[in-house]
Amino acid sequence: MQDDLTGRVALVTGAARGIGRAIALALARDGADVAVADTDLGGAQETVGLVKRRRALAVTADVSYEDCVTSLYSTILAEFGRLDILVNNAGIFKMTDPLQVTAAEWDSVMAVNARGTFLMCREALRHMMPSGRGTIINVASTAGKSGGSVMAGVHYAASKAVVICLTKSLATYAAPSHIRVNAVAPGPTVTEMTAAWGEDTNARIAGQIPLGRYGDPREIAEVVAFLASDRAGFITGEIVDVNGGLIMD
Ligand code: NAD
């Protein structure tokens, strides 16, 4: 729906490419001004260049660092004066065999996917709760529900389970302030993340998906845009599957 988000300011992490870029573009199409945050500034600037008619800003940020997160919010509030929609999409994927996962690799995945999502939520709520408006959408994964049986490593799956739990905890916490917190749980989706798995693996996994194919990033973005809008005004603490039927619960 066009212009549903007019006058709102959205911040999307990991939006230099893939699902995050598609989300930033969908929110801008629906009327929001968007801040595009990523460790990859060049990619973030490319995303900004694709935004039509709305204000967009590329910001370098690593969500795993607390200082970086607080300075990101200072920048957004200085530039836009408000924040209405936060989408925590930044994430890293690993498929290492559980017996080969080092403590350092475990920590690196958790630092971005779990701690980064929490820090971004905490700062958003510090801003949103006093104003009594705003919404957060976290990007989880089917792996966070299934344990990652299709492809993902144990640390990736566990980090996305954290995202799911965090979504529910914060939804309860922020509801009295009229803040909604939801998540999408994508199944395998066509991005650089899954391109790295190789054609044979992707064909095999696609064969396990009832709809017989991977998702398109725009199909994830449409659900996020809906959750960000007032049309989803009575939905909070929900984890929305967008996975072609890979898991049904
Ligand atoms: P991608 O690897 O193509 O893009 C991820 C983006 O996040 C990149 O631009 C990267 O630079 C950025 N990023 C990584 N670490 C960051 C950090 N510390 N701070 C800020 N930005 C950072 O991935 P994608 O496939 O577009 O996935 C996006 C999200 O969706 C991730 O959270 C991923 O776990 C999740 N997801 C993806 C799939 C899939 O099949 N592609 C499935 C389920 C869930």
Side-chain angles (χ1 to χ4, degrees), residues 133-223:
R133 65 158 195 265
T135 190
I136 298 174
I137 299 108
N138 296 322
V139 178
S141 169
T142 49
K145 291 184 165 186
S146 69
S149 51
V150 177
M151 191 68 189
V154 63
H155 39 1
Y156 177 82
S159 73
K160 292 299 186 177
V162 170
V163 171
I164 288 170
C165 188
L166 189 63
T167 300
K168 295 177 181 178
S169 297
L170 294 179
T172 305
Y173 176 73
S177 299
H178 313 289
I179 313 291
R180 297 182 298 106
V181 185
N182 291 292
V184 288
T189 304
V190 180
T191 68
E192 289 184 46
M193 185 181 275
T194 49
W197 300 353
E199 275 182 33
D200 289 351
T201 300
N202 284 327
R204 178 174 55 77
I205 294 172
Q208 296 172 31
I209 298 173
L211 285 180
R213 64 173 176 86
Y214 278 17
D216 183 291
R218 289 168 296 189
E219 294 174 308
I220 315 300
E222 287 306 325
V223 178

Side-chain angles (χ1 to χ4, degrees), residues 13-21 37-40 61-64 88-93 111-113 139-143 156 160 185-194 197 214 217:
T13 68
R17 66 185 202 191
I19 293 171
R21 172 176 285 178
D38 207 294
T39 47
D40 171 9
D62 185 331
V63 300
S64 64
N88 282 308
N89 165 81
I92 56 173
F93 176 85
V112 178
N113 298 1
V139 178
S141 169
T142 49
Y156 177 82
K160 292 299 186 177
T189 304
V190 180
T191 68
E192 289 184 46
M193 185 181 275
T194 49
W197 300 353
Y214 278 17

